[in-house]
Amino acid sequence: MNTRNLFVITTLSILFFSCGSNQEKKKKYFSIETENNQRIFKLGETIKASIKNNENINIDSVSYILNEEKTTSGTNFSFEEKIDTEKLGHNVLKALVFYDGNVDTITKKITLLNNKSPKLYTYKIVADYPHDEGAFTQGLEFVGDTLYESTGKKGQSSLRKVDYKSGEVIIKKEVPQKYFAEGITIMNNKIFQLTWQAKEGFIYDLESMEKTGNFAYNDSKQGWGLCNDGKHIYKSDGTEKIWILDAETLAEKGYIEVTTNKGVKSKFNELEWVNGKIYANTWQKDGIAIINPSNGALEGVINLSGLRNKVKQHPELDVLNGIAYKKDSQQLFVTGKYWGKLFEIEVVE
């Protein structure tokens, strides 16, 4: 190759990469401004936003998107919406700005919170029953009068069928030693069991308790708790998100984020569906959060302080974890990791 050809190729290469670089660094002409630069909003409040036009460009139209709902602005290209049915938590307000045959997509991060503090509840013990003190309880669920339990820790994880009145373990299926089992839920004659960090869950036949399949996690970080409403499965992963899974494919279809009137909360563990709400243990907390599944609002907290002191104290005794609801008789049961008792409780406002 002669010197002249080498010079031409080098020059073209520089021009090519320079053009690509300029496109990637294209200047943003617009930005979203909220009234008073507000970024945190509560249910009942109104989001007011407009486009800051840095270069006074002639805008043709603007479309705003919040929670996948698209609205087209009027002649002043502003956005105004009262927060009522939106999912709470971390959100992004997006605007599509159309001008001179072009479109710019711009975003602004906002947070939507509940507008009420959670109701506070306490409890009354109705009865207590024997529970395997060697069970590192991760998940509980009733089918009729039969209690199903998932236990954790590597090398100790299991799926169990239990007579809750006597504490007798009727069937115990060991989970392979490399897995740390987590929450369970039961739907359509199948038991679904999570593992903690392996990003894999197991499916069992309810009657035989034989494993029939596996399922993978997608965007969720880990496996913590499960429950279902008869149509969808809800999954916690230790973050602020509770994922909504397709009951047939176990694919993650979306999520809610758990919020109070003060902020976004996380570390929700064992889950149970109770009368249209999600009841959730919070890791390292002696209580149950009552969560609205439609928007993530944390509507109530059941303070279960003192319950741990009512079981035999021993070095391995660990946190409250395990909620089971007998729908037919409307009985609520709780226990903990390495607890020697299963408690039936009554919630008192």
Side-chain angles (χ1 to χ4, degrees), residues 185 225-229 232-236 240-245 255-258 268-282 287-302 323 325 332:
T185 197
L226 285 177
C227 71
N228 76 83
D229 63 0
H232 304 95
I233 293 174
Y234 298 84
K235 173 183 183 289
S236 61
E240 68 275 12
K241 295 180 174 68
I242 293 181
W243 295 84
I244 303 168
L245 311 185
Y255 59 82
I256 56 173
E257 292 187 3
V258 183
F268 295 99
N269 206 350
E270 220 274 289
L271 306 180
E272 185 75 3
W273 186 266
V274 182
N275 295 327
K277 306 292 182 183
I278 296 174
Y279 280 36
N281 287 130
T282 306
I288 293 174
I290 302 174
I291 300 164
N292 185 328
S294 63
N295 64 3
L298 201 165
E299 297 180 339
V301 175
I302 308 169
I323 312 167
Y325 183 64
L332 183 65

Side-chain angles (χ1 to χ4, degrees), residues 25-194:
K25 295 179 179 178
K26 180 181 175 182
K27 183 177 179 181
K28 286 286 186 183
Y29 296 127
F30 312 102
S31 59
I32 299 175
E33 284 192 334
T34 52
E35 190 173 63
N36 300 320
N37 201 30
Q38 186 175 350
R39 288 178 177 269
I40 298 175
F41 301 86
K42 295 183 179 181
L43 281 177
E45 293 183 347
T46 299
I47 300 175
K48 295 181 180 179
S50 58
I51 299 299
K52 184 177 180 181
N53 189 346
N54 301 315
E55 303 291 333
N56 293 317
I57 294 171
N58 185 32
I59 298 175
D60 298 319
S61 65
V62 179
S63 292
Y64 290 91
I65 302 172
L66 179 64
N67 270 325
E68 300 180 358
E69 293 291 329
K70 185 175 181 180
T71 59
T72 301
S73 68
T75 55
N76 61 352
F77 309 124
S78 63
F79 173 84
E80 186 169 325
E81 183 169 327
K82 185 177 181 179
I83 304 303
D84 48 16
T85 60
E86 284 79 8
K87 290 181 180 178
L88 304 179
H90 301 301
N91 281 265
V92 174
L93 178 61
K94 182 187 294 185
L96 307 178
V97 183
F98 298 87
Y99 65 100
D100 296 334
N102 300 305
V103 57
D104 272 9
T105 301
I106 53 178
T107 60
K108 190 178 186 72
K109 292 180 180 179
I110 59 175
T111 303
L112 308 182
L113 301 180
N114 197 16
N115 58 354
K116 297 177 182 177
S117 23
K119 286 185 178 180
L120 299 180
Y121 300 89
T122 184
Y123 67 97
K124 181 172 70 175
I125 296 174
V126 177
D128 62 68
Y129 303 93
H131 180 254
D132 181 7
E133 199 175 271
F136 192 78
T137 303
Q138 299 289 74
L140 286 178
E141 190 156 335
F142 273 103
V143 176
D145 287 330
T146 302
L147 182 65
Y148 293 83
E149 181 171 12
S150 175
T151 71
K153 293 248 177 162
K154 287 187 177 180
Q156 301 176 28
S157 293
S158 68
L159 177 65
R160 304 174 176 200
K161 183 177 182 179
V162 180
D163 181 333
Y164 80 94
K165 291 183 178 178
S166 68
E168 177 190 357
V169 178
I170 302 168
I171 300 175
K172 180 180 179 181
K173 295 290 183 179
E174 303 285 354
V175 172
Q177 292 196 2
K178 68 176 182 176
Y179 294 106
F180 191 125
E182 286 278 349
I184 57 169
T185 197
I186 300 169
M187 187 175 174
N188 299 330
N189 294 314
K190 297 175 183 177
I191 305 172
F192 302 94
Q193 182 183 44
L194 297 175

